[in-house]
Amino acid sequence: MGKEVFEKYESNIRGYCRKWPVELVSAKGSIYKDVNGNEYLDFFDGAGALNYGHNPEYIKAKLIEYLQNDGIVHSLDMYALPKEKFIDYFENKILKPRNLEYKIAFAGPTGTNAVELALKLARKVKGKPDIWAFTGAFHGMTLGALSLTTEQAARDAAGVPLNNTVHIPAPYSMGGNFDTIAYMKEILEDDHSGYGKPSAIIIETVQQEGGIYVFSEQFLQDLRAFCDENDILLICDEIQIGCSRSGTFFSFERANIVPDIVCMSKSIGGYGLPLAITLFKKDLDVFKPGEHNGTFRGCQLSMVSALAALEMTVNEDIPNKVKQKEKMVKEYLEREIKPLLSDNMEIRGIGLTWGIDFKDGKMAREVLDECFKKNLIIELAGREDSVLKIMPSLVIADELLLKGLEIIKKATMKVLKNRK
Ligand SMILES: Cc1ncc(COP(=O)(O)O)c(C=O)c1O
């Protein structure tokens, strides 16, 4: 039957397959293979869930061994050995060296669940219904998280009002001249502003779906101070930018700030397996047993792969490797791509997440299509999908990284030339 099965029986809701209409069958490292044996270079990284590439040997071996020994796979939140080992390693090798003291809650199984848990906790602790987020934010698709997500098409699909969220213009608004902190101060102090105090402010330190906007260290520090001064919790959504993508394990390390609540998912599972966790300062743990629940919070296979991924992070010093690859990408983009672009177009990024903002969704899509013709899988982000989003695995071989960048350059040249 082939691909028609999807078209005939699967809902119209399917999305990514429309950009890359191939039927995949296997994958290794940064290479996908389709059913016809064609190979595709992956600059999409499972939307950030595959920071260690496809089927990394180290993690795979641990998973196979675990399955072969009939290790427990499903256990809700009953105590289980892989979960114990994951928590212990996370505490001692990730949190303690960074002087972070957090409790961990398993939300499950996907990123939006970690956000829902964070929202529930923040409102329970502070007692205020509102949460503030920033324009351009993406935090998930379930109702609570969706109320924070700004993409209009996704919001329109909710079918109900998305309440109790206020979107504050991000610092890049108004051509980068917007003083977000001053604005928040003013609306909080003005008893005629119409705004109430929120329980929390949620932020991605680098807006990914919003179009690869890297918030400055100063802004993040000012935001932390603003939250402290006003008794507001700060939530960092690390779901896409965390797990070393920005060059440090937690992206907020760059600004030397400590959020009150941290949401993680995607690559925390290590192998593309589902895992979502919410971390919070110990004094915030006001939950009663079972107040937030879910059948798939305890996939022990995910715990096995998550532990192995953390071991890779520490043993191979992946954050440091990202910094080296960041240099390569940044230099290439500035040297080879920037001169091709018009003045209004921008290149933005950090670590191994970069965007070429064509300021024109149609043009960006044409570049994506050209890249796909050359067997490069790459995604779009941002306003009207105008940003080509470069997001390879963190352990991609340098030759493949360069190969992908060269495909992007040629695709950009072709599209821009056709436009002249
Ligand atoms: C920053 C951020 N938060 C939350 C989510 C939601 O995660 P999920 O799609 O696993 O529910 C995403 C997904 O792309 C994300 O990028």
Side-chain angles (χ1 to χ4, degrees):
M1 189 68 174
K3 275 190 290 181
E4 303 82 62
V5 165
F6 306 111
E7 278 139 34
K8 197 161 174 199
Y9 300 114
E10 194 184 352
S11 160
N12 282 334
I13 206 164
R14 63 196 191 279
Y16 292 118
C17 55
R18 296 173 193 274
K19 282 190 184 123
W20 317 299
V22 291
E23 190 172 352
L24 301 167
V25 70
S26 66
K28 189 74 190 165
S30 289
I31 305 289
Y32 290 105
K33 256 193 196 162
D34 75 6
V35 286
N36 300 313
N38 298 310
E39 293 192 347
Y40 298 86
L41 179 55
D42 183 6
F43 264 32
F44 166 55
D45 198 55
L50 296 163
N51 280 7
Y52 314 92
H54 295 270
N55 296 312
E57 283 302 313
Y58 181 75
I59 308 181
K60 185 170 81 178
K62 302 268 180 186
L63 286 169
I64 290 172
E65 185 190 2
Y66 188 73
L67 281 172
Q68 235 148 17
N69 290 329
D70 280 338
I72 179 96
V73 171
H74 184 272
S75 54
L76 291 145
D77 67 359
M78 291 160 75
Y79 295 145
L81 189 58
K83 185 165 152 182
E84 177 203 316
K85 288 184 177 172
F86 167 71
I87 295 174
D88 185 57
Y89 196 91
F90 192 73
E91 173 68 28
N92 287 302
K93 301 287 184 175
I94 301 293
L95 296 182
K96 276 213 177 111
R98 292 167 176 80
N99 291 321
L100 294 170
E101 291 193 13
Y102 287 130
K103 279 274 189 105
I104 180 169
F106 290 82
T110 196
T112 198
N113 304 129
V115 174
E116 295 291 347
L117 198 154
L119 301 182
K120 201 179 271 184
L121 180 67
R123 287 176 171 135
K124 201 170 156 63
V125 170
K126 295 294 179 194
K128 305 267 192 294
D130 280 355
I131 307 287
W132 289 3
F134 295 99
T135 49
F138 187 96
H139 296 290
M141 289 278 163
T142 50
L143 274 190
L146 185 57
S147 72
L148 307 165
T149 292
T150 50
E151 189 194 342
Q152 199 56 47
R155 295 180 68 83
D156 288 347
V160 292
L162 296 170
N163 291 331
N164 302 123
T165 301
V166 171
H167 285 103
I168 305 289
Y172 55 78
S173 307
M174 321 238 356
N177 292 319
F178 192 79
D179 190 339
T180 297
I181 301 287
Y183 177 76
M184 292 194 300
K185 272 192 181 139
E186 183 160 319
I187 60 173
L188 214 54
E189 281 164 14
D190 179 1
D191 66 353
H192 280 56
S193 72
Y195 293 90
K197 188 161 146 174
S199 280
I201 300 177
I202 185 165
I203 188 165
E204 307 153 78
T205 67
V206 180
Q207 283 189 348
Q208 293 279 92
E209 300 305 310
I212 321 294
Y213 283 100
V214 183
F215 291 133
S216 73
E217 291 169 22
Q218 186 65 56
F219 172 70
L220 295 170
Q221 287 159 5
D222 291 348
L223 179 64
R224 176 67 274 185
F226 174 81
C227 288
D228 286 340
E229 281 155 21
N230 293 288
D231 190 28
I232 297 166
L233 295 171
L234 179 62
I235 306 173
C236 266
D237 181 340
E238 291 278 306
I239 288 168
Q240 192 168 156
I241 191 62
C243 295
S244 313
R245 167 107 5 228
S246 70
T248 48
F249 182 79
F250 294 107
S251 72
F252 54 80
E253 288 174 60
R254 167 171 67 93
N256 212 13
I257 58 164
V258 178
D260 301 295
I261 303 178
V262 180
C263 303
M264 304 194 82
S265 187
K266 294 196 190 267
S267 280
I268 194 71
Y271 202 76
L273 288 172
L275 184 63
I277 57 177
T278 308
L279 310 171
F280 39 86
K281 289 187 176 162
K282 292 186 172 167
D283 60 336
L284 300 181
D285 194 8
V286 296
F287 277 132
K288 295 197 182 82
E291 260 187 337
H292 191 82
N293 218 322
T295 305
F296 288 107
R297 284 169 306 137
C299 176
Q300 298 304 320
L301 218 47
S302 301
M303 307 289 172
V304 170
S305 56
L307 169 62
L310 293 182
E311 287 170 347
M312 274 179 77
T313 301
V314 172
N315 297 341
E316 297 179 24
D317 195 1
I318 287 179
N320 198 31
K321 285 199 176 131
V322 171
K323 285 193 180 122
Q324 288 164 22
K325 289 188 201 294
E326 173 193 48
K327 245 174 125 191
M328 239 180 98
V329 177
K330 190 168 186 248
E331 276 172 22
Y332 187 95
L333 292 176
E334 273 168 11
R335 194 182 60 238
E336 304 289 333
I337 309 259
K338 187 103 183 39
L340 306 174
L341 306 178
S342 319
D343 288 348
N344 69 326
M345 299 175 185
E346 286 173 15
I347 290 174
R348 301 184 290 266
I350 188 170
L352 277 181
T353 183
W354 287 83
I356 304 173
D357 191 346
F358 293 97
K359 304 278 165 106
D360 177 337
K362 246 182 108 206
M363 190 183 286
R365 178 59 196 249
E366 283 171 29
V367 176
L368 177 145
D369 290 340
E370 282 303 319
C371 288
F372 181 61
K373 279 187 207 156
K374 300 265 177 306
N375 294 27
L376 178 70
I377 303 259
I378 189 162
E379 173 57 323
L380 302 177
R383 274 59 175 193
E384 293 174 357
D385 266 355
S386 65
V387 181
L388 192 74
K389 185 184 183 198
I390 300 166
M391 203 166 72
S393 127
L394 307 186
V395 294
I396 187 171
D398 287 354
E399 313 84 77
L400 289 180
L401 189 52
L402 208 56
K403 184 175 170 191
L405 291 169
E406 274 164 12
I407 294 173
I408 293 170
K409 179 183 167 188
K410 286 192 185 128
T412 304
M413 283 170 83
K414 184 162 178 195
V415 170
L416 294 181
K417 197 167 147 219
N418 287 347
R419 292 275 179 139
K420 277 189 182 143

